Amino acid sequence: NAGVTQTPKFRVLKTGQSMTLLCAQDMNHEYMYWYRQDPGMGLRLIHYSVGEGTTAKGEVPDGYNVSRLKKQNFLLGLESAAPSQTSVYFCASSSRNEQYFGPGTRLTVT
Amino acid sequence: ILNVEQSPQSLHVQEGDSTNFTCSFPSSNFYALHWYRWETAKSPEALFVMTLNGDEKKKGRISATLNTKEGYSYLYIKGSQPEDSATYLCAFNNYGGATNKLIFGTGTLLAVQP
């Protein structure tokens, strides 16, 4: 099993550009999450999903959109990137217990 | 606003030392407390999920305790080794099992010197 995978691993964007980060899991988990991790701060929840076709806002949702069209995939979109969105993004999935994390995507917005 | 506090922020110990760190969380509406180990350049990995007051869990040289009434959990590492060097995160779930949403602390960075 691959567990949780994320693409891409690294990306540099210019302000105003858009992109989509892909998260995939092969553990048949119902729940999936997108977090961002910034220096001196804990992992902060952006959006999450409790099942295929459902999404909900987390702690810091502004500037991001998500979709969960298939159970195994959770997409995070940035419509118009801003330098404040420079961060490391982690995807996670879970059943009802521990969360399993992907390797992260390092995004720089210039 | 729900806050999860971890202390200390960082810790430097010698190989063989035993150490412990603290996670504080709101004591109301408790559902579960998670501990994760996060090595540099990797992703967080679950150590423990604890749900009952008085829970104690152990994995090798690492153990954790939980006090939900006063809102704290301790993580203990016995006989620290250089490979224990990592950031240890705790995360609090008061939303229940319907979402398994977690609120993370900022972590304790442990460095074990050989």
Side-chain angles (χ1 to χ4, degrees), chain A residues 60-79:
Chain A
V60 288
D62 294 341
Y64 305 95
N65 56 73
V66 287
S67 64
R68 183 110 180 259
L69 298 179
K70 293 183 179 179
K71 186 177 184 179
Q72 62 267 34
N73 296 338
F74 195 27
L75 278 63
L76 178 72
L78 286 74
E79 287 185 350

Side-chain angles (χ1 to χ4, degrees), chain A residues 81-109:
Chain A
S84 60
Q85 294 177 304
T86 293
S87 189
V88 182
Y89 291 85
F90 286 94
C91 174
S93 72
S94 76
S95 54
R96 289 183 179 269
N97 294 307
E98 65 266 34
Q99 293 189 6
Y100 293 82
F101 286 84
T105 295
R106 185 173 293 276
L107 175 66
T108 302
V109 183

Side-chain angles (χ1 to χ4, degrees), chain B residues 27-103:
Chain B
S27 54
S28 58
N29 299 321
F30 177 86
Y31 184 81
L33 193 285
H34 296 220
W35 280 100
Y36 290 84
R37 182 168 177 274
W38 193 357
E39 289 183 71
T40 303
K42 294 188 177 179
S43 47
E45 292 185 353
L47 285 171
F48 307 113
V49 179
M50 295 187 288
T51 56
L52 297 175
N53 184 44
D55 252 357
E56 289 188 30
K57 297 235 174 168
K58 188 173 179 187
K59 187 181 285 189
R61 293 178 292 99
I62 304 177
S63 60
T65 61
L66 178 67
N67 183 324
T68 61
K69 295 188 176 179
E70 295 181 43
Y72 64 84
S73 174
Y74 294 135
L75 189 80
Y76 301 91
I77 303 180
K78 186 176 175 183
S80 303
Q81 299 297 308
E83 57 265 31
D84 295 329
S85 297
T87 296
Y88 291 83
L89 295 173
C90 74
F92 169 65
N93 177 355
N94 76 330
Y95 298 98
T99 68
N100 203 25
K101 279 169 57 180
L102 299 177
I103 301 168

Side-chain angles (χ1 to χ4, degrees), chain A residues 11-27:
Chain A
R11 186 73 186 268
V12 178
L13 285 180
K14 293 191 177 175
T15 298
Q17 286 185 318
S18 63
M19 78 164 293
T20 300
L21 283 67
L22 171 64
C23 175
Q25 54 97 3
D26 60 4
M27 295 174 282

